[in-house]
Amino acid sequence: MTAGKYAYAFIALGICAAFLGAATAQAAEVAASSPPQTETTAPIALVPVTITDHGETLTMLLPQMPAFQKEEQSFPAIGFSISKYTARVEAAGIDVLVQHSVFADDGSVPPSLDEAAAGARDAIAAAYQPDRMMRDKQIDLGGMPAHLFSYSYTVNGASYVDDSVFIAIGFNQWNITLARRADSTAILPQIDEMLRAIRVQADKAE
């Protein structure tokens, strides 16, 4: 990847992180104005969910949820686009946010996962100013390397925790974030199961 294009990758990450911050702030305002809900101790059922975008398919295990809302931004002058998917699962007290950044292949060498994770780390720090980084490590998702960030932050006086998985496949980058209030415990026992179940596969050419 050329130096210019590598810089654009970090710009894209910043845009994604800023979008996440705005979505979380909006969710915080809704939560603050809503009456408290009684959480059940029964496990929340998880179901397979897939997103297909630009020739790649993301598979996850998530609680029963409404359809994702999709927003796409394209920057043809600098050769990339960002697809953003969001959904809120009220019963589980969790927001699911997915970003897929697609970069034009200019024949250069794509960034390594470590390089891409470094950009994501900087974007998270700039957008959230985390109170604490609990996990910052490489993980294995069925043979595919990925990077996991778990961090806490404050929005409008409320504490939140995000678990964010970052995957780089060539020039394409996926970011899957599970965001919840720090005092929401309904989904907590299943967070790691949801993270471990994430898979990304390139669609086979016909």
Side-chain angles (χ1 to χ4, degrees), residues 91-174:
I94 191 171
D95 288 276
V96 183
L97 306 105
V98 176
Q99 294 84 40
H100 186 207
S101 300
V102 179
F103 300 85
D105 184 352
D106 61 3
S108 58
V109 178
S112 67
L113 177 61
D114 286 344
E115 290 171 325
R121 188 180 296 109
D122 290 343
I124 289 168
Y128 291 96
Q129 299 179 342
D131 304 319
R132 186 162 65 100
M133 181 70 74
M134 289 91 76
R135 292 189 285 191
D136 180 348
K137 64 179 183 178
Q138 188 165 319
I139 59 174
D140 181 89
L141 298 175
M144 174 173 290
H147 202 96
L148 170 63
F149 299 97
S150 298
Y151 48 94
S152 62
Y153 56 98
T154 303
V155 177
N156 296 337
S159 296
Y160 287 81
V161 174
D162 282 10
D163 296 283
S164 187
V165 170
F166 191 82
I167 301 168
I169 304 175
F171 292 105
N172 297 347
Q173 301 168 357
W174 287 88

Side-chain angles (χ1 to χ4, degrees), residues 31-117:
S33 62
S34 302
Q37 297 181 346
T38 301
E39 293 186 346
T40 176
T41 57
I44 296 174
L46 303 179
V47 297
V49 176
T50 61
I51 292 175
T52 298
D53 187 84
H54 290 274
E56 293 177 351
T57 297
L58 167 69
T59 304
M60 301 170 283
L61 282 180
L62 297 173
Q64 194 69 44
M65 57 189 291
F68 279 104
Q69 295 183 352
K70 180 182 179 181
E71 178 183 348
E72 187 165 7
Q73 294 176 292
S74 181
F75 304 87
I78 51 179
F80 73 87
S81 65
I82 307 172
S83 301
K84 297 174 284 193
Y85 300 81
T86 62
R88 177 162 180 78
V89 188
E90 292 288 350
I94 191 171
D95 288 276
V96 183
L97 306 105
V98 176
Q99 294 84 40
H100 186 207
S101 300
V102 179
F103 300 85
D105 184 352
D106 61 3
S108 58
V109 178
S112 67
L113 177 61
D114 286 344
E115 290 171 325

